[in-house]
Amino acid sequence: MRSRTPSSTWNTSDRCKEMLMDAVSHDQVRCPNCRALQDSSDQCRRCRRDLRLLRAACSTHQQHRRNRILHLEAGELEIALGHALRCHDLHPGPDSLRLLSLCALARQEWQTALELVVMADR
């Protein structure tokens, strides 16, 4: 098994500014085309854009978030970190950075945890 350096393990880049999906809640999304708030439809009511891929990304994000919590509680830190990184890839932002920070704390990587929290608070 190859070893990971902190920089390769915690590669979050600067994607916090761009939003790959806009999920208001687990059952509501905002259409990326016209920005209309959508409930549980596969097509935007306003512009008729197909929202199935966006909904799938939101669902996958929620699954990775739940799995990260379960694996972290079970002490499976590498698996939890993988799920946290996938959450950040799907929806970068303060929430995902805090998830990564929790993983860093569990792995006793104090400096990385602090840096992630500072980035989340910006």
Side-chain angles (χ1 to χ4, degrees):
M1 183 178 199
R2 72 176 193 164
S3 72
R4 291 178 155 180
T5 63
S7 62
S8 67
T9 303
W10 302 98
N11 185 10
T12 57
S13 70
D14 287 331
R15 289 180 287 176
C16 290
K17 295 175 184 87
E18 64 184 69
M19 297 304 290
L20 301 179
M21 65 179 179
D22 194 357
V24 177
S25 68
H26 70 280
D27 60 344
Q28 289 186 326
V29 295
R30 193 166 296 284
C31 176
N33 190 45
C34 69
R35 309 298 299 153
L37 189 61
Q38 305 296 314
D39 286 323
S40 60
S41 64
D42 287 337
Q43 192 176 45
C44 177
R45 293 185 311 262
R46 186 183 296 166
C47 70
R48 301 291 181 221
R49 184 174 192 138
D50 189 358
L51 300 174
R52 288 178 291 192
L53 186 58
L54 179 63
R55 290 201 181 281
C58 292
S59 175
T60 302
H61 175 263
Q62 288 300 321
Q63 287 174 331
H64 284 299
R65 184 175 166 73
R66 279 190 300 273
N67 287 335
R68 194 253 348 146
I69 293 167
L70 292 173
H71 288 290
L72 197 58
E73 288 176 347
E76 299 167 336
L77 304 180
E78 290 298 319
I79 298 171
L81 174 60
H83 286 294
L85 287 169
R86 287 182 197 98
C87 281
H88 186 71
D89 286 342
L90 286 168
H91 196 188
D95 185 54
S96 65
L97 288 171
R98 287 185 183 96
L99 288 173
L100 287 169
S101 177
L102 285 175
C103 288
L105 283 174
R107 294 166 48 123
Q108 297 182 357
E109 296 177 7
W110 316 116
Q111 185 63 35
T112 302
L114 179 62
E115 290 170 5
L116 289 166
V117 169
V118 168
M119 282 179 16
D121 289 342
R122 276 193 238 152

